[in-house]
Amino acid sequence: WSSDVCSSDLRRACARSGAPPLMECYVHAVTSAADIDDILRIEQITFTNPWTREMYLSELEHHDVAFFYIARDAVGEAVGFCSWWRVLDEVHINNLAVLPEKRRFGVASLLLTRVLADGAARGATRAMNVAASAITSPLSTRKIANDE
């Protein structure tokens, strides 16, 4: 996997927020179709109306506004993912899912922390998606960066 791992900064941010203890995992940006099968497996388990392979491949083509990350545990198993769009100055979270047996270990918090940090780095100042925010209420601050 890439060098894009769960940093100590992300772990500290989750710990400060009161999120559950983190499992050892790595979060990396999905930039090719190689991770799509793992995302689809999690989609099938989690959602009643999952996205299709074609939908994710289309997202890959719009890499300037569409992003998704996958979380893998210490042995490389995909345990969760988050897809989001940057629209003007906002982060729009489309999907956030964690395998049922891996829930309550901070994977969603870690994914959202990464999404919010990357969104702010790309100029977003707000995050939109009440459902995703409710999953990790300690991280649910809607304002993610200072308006300048």
Side-chain angles (χ1 to χ4, degrees):
W1 28 38
S2 74
S3 61
D4 191 8
V5 297
C6 301
S7 72
S8 58
D9 290 342
L10 290 178
R11 291 187 176 286
R12 282 193 297 274
C14 287
R16 281 193 307 270
S17 73
L22 296 176
M23 68 181 295
E24 188 65 35
C25 69
Y26 300 84
V27 174
H28 69 90
V30 174
T31 57
S32 72
D35 292 313
I36 300 294
D37 286 339
D38 288 331
I39 289 173
L40 290 173
R41 181 176 55 84
I42 296 168
E43 280 266 352
Q44 292 293 326
I45 292 168
T46 305
F47 299 116
T48 57
N49 191 19
W51 283 24
T52 64
R53 171 178 298 286
E54 292 74 23
M55 294 168 82
Y56 277 108
L57 293 175
S58 176
E59 293 290 288
L60 281 175
E61 293 175 14
H62 297 96
H63 54 82
D64 54 333
V65 296
F67 308 92
F68 39 112
Y69 298 113
I70 192 162
R72 294 186 177 279
D73 65 14
V75 296
E77 178 189 359
V79 296
F81 76 95
C82 185
S83 65
W84 61 284
W85 294 336
R86 184 190 45 79
V87 180
L88 300 174
D89 68 338
E90 296 177 351
V91 167
H92 286 258
I93 297 168
N94 298 319
N95 285 330
L96 175 65
V98 176
L99 290 173
E101 67 274 14
K102 303 295 183 175
R103 293 178 186 159
R104 307 295 305 156
F105 293 104
V107 176
S109 297
L110 199 58
L111 283 161
L112 283 177
T113 299
R114 172 64 190 278
V115 166
L116 295 177
D118 283 5
R122 287 179 161 77
T125 59
R126 295 179 291 165
M128 303 298 290
N129 186 313
V130 175
S133 295
I135 291 171
T136 56
S137 58
L139 298 175
S140 66
T141 303
R142 290 184 191 258
K143 187 172 181 174
I144 60 174
N146 291 326
D147 291 334
E148 306 262 346

